[in-house]
Amino acid sequence: MTRDELFIELCLSEALAAFEEDEVPVGAIIVSPQEELIAKGRNQTIKLNSPIAHAEILAIQEAAKALDNYRLTGCTLYVTKEPCIMCAGALIEARIQRVVFGCYDSKRGALGSISHVNMLPSNHRFEVTGGVLEMPCRGLLQKFFRIRRGTEVVITGPTRNRLYA
């Protein structure tokens, strides 16, 4: 098993915890340039009643506190699903060096699926590796949505017709 796969396995543990909390099962970790785990996060949008409580955002916040620096220079973010544009923007702001993700997101992915933030005229770009342990990452998400299919109104209220990560 490669180092990237080992770190995605840790992300899957976070995603499983989110699943068990009835959150969209996405998990993320951040490792230092020395490859030490410095932060982890999982989706908590429902628990925190916050549309920005994505796994990546929570991991970035924890890493910044751990390093006492809002710049995460040299760090790598691992996440089970391709980040959305909000999270990809946060990765730029945090100056993450590398992003490794599990499954692609053909509806909202911002690292190649529907857009790519590295193609924007920005002062920072990061290395991207996608598709690491793609099947287990995708499988957990599919299981979550299969269980909830048709229950969106119960979970999110009558004004939303879909439950997104």
Side-chain angles (χ1 to χ4, degrees), residues 19 103 133-144 146:
F19 180 92
C103 64
L133 297 182
E134 182 169 8
M135 293 315 295
C137 294
R138 179 174 310 288
L140 185 58
L141 283 161
Q142 288 173 334
K143 179 180 178 182
F144 178 84
R146 189 170 39 254

Side-chain angles (χ1 to χ4, degrees), residues 99-146:
V99 176
V100 179
F101 64 87
C103 64
Y104 292 86
D105 183 349
S106 62
K107 293 182 180 165
R108 301 187 324 143
L111 299 185
S113 288
I114 63 161
S115 63
H116 202 313
V117 297
N118 275 342
M119 303 302 283
L120 298 172
S122 176
N123 61 340
H124 180 74
R125 288 178 176 71
F126 45 81
E127 181 185 339
V128 177
T129 302
V132 177
L133 297 182
E134 182 169 8
M135 293 315 295
C137 294
R138 179 174 310 288
L140 185 58
L141 283 161
Q142 288 173 334
K143 179 180 178 182
F144 178 84
F145 287 109
R146 189 170 39 254

Side-chain angles (χ1 to χ4, degrees), residues 60-127:
I60 288 168
Q61 290 174 324
E62 186 177 309
K65 287 178 185 171
L67 296 177
D68 196 27
N69 192 336
Y70 70 105
R71 297 292 194 216
L72 305 179
T73 307
C75 292
T76 300
L77 175 116
Y78 291 87
V79 62
T80 55
K81 183 174 71 68
E82 180 182 4
C84 69
I85 196 156
M86 174 185 70
C87 292
L91 296 167
I92 291 169
E93 293 300 319
R95 303 300 192 263
I96 288 286
Q97 179 178 325
R98 182 171 181 242
V99 176
V100 179
F101 64 87
C103 64
Y104 292 86
D105 183 349
S106 62
K107 293 182 180 165
R108 301 187 324 143
L111 299 185
S113 288
I114 63 161
S115 63
H116 202 313
V117 297
N118 275 342
M119 303 302 283
L120 298 172
S122 176
N123 61 340
H124 180 74
R125 288 178 176 71
F126 45 81
E127 181 185 339

Side-chain angles (χ1 to χ4, degrees), residues 32-49:
S32 71
Q34 296 77 31
E35 297 190 341
E36 297 169 349
L37 176 66
I38 56 172
K40 59 185 178 177
R42 61 180 172 269
N43 275 6
Q44 294 187 45
T45 56
I46 297 168
K47 178 182 179 183
L48 299 178
N49 194 31

Side-chain angles (χ1 to χ4, degrees), residues 1-22:
M1 186 170 268
T2 68
R3 187 168 307 285
D4 284 351
E5 290 171 335
L6 289 171
F7 285 131
I8 291 291
E9 285 280 344
L10 292 175
C11 294
L12 277 165
S13 295
E14 285 297 308
L16 186 57
F19 180 92
E20 291 169 355
E21 296 168 354
D22 291 324

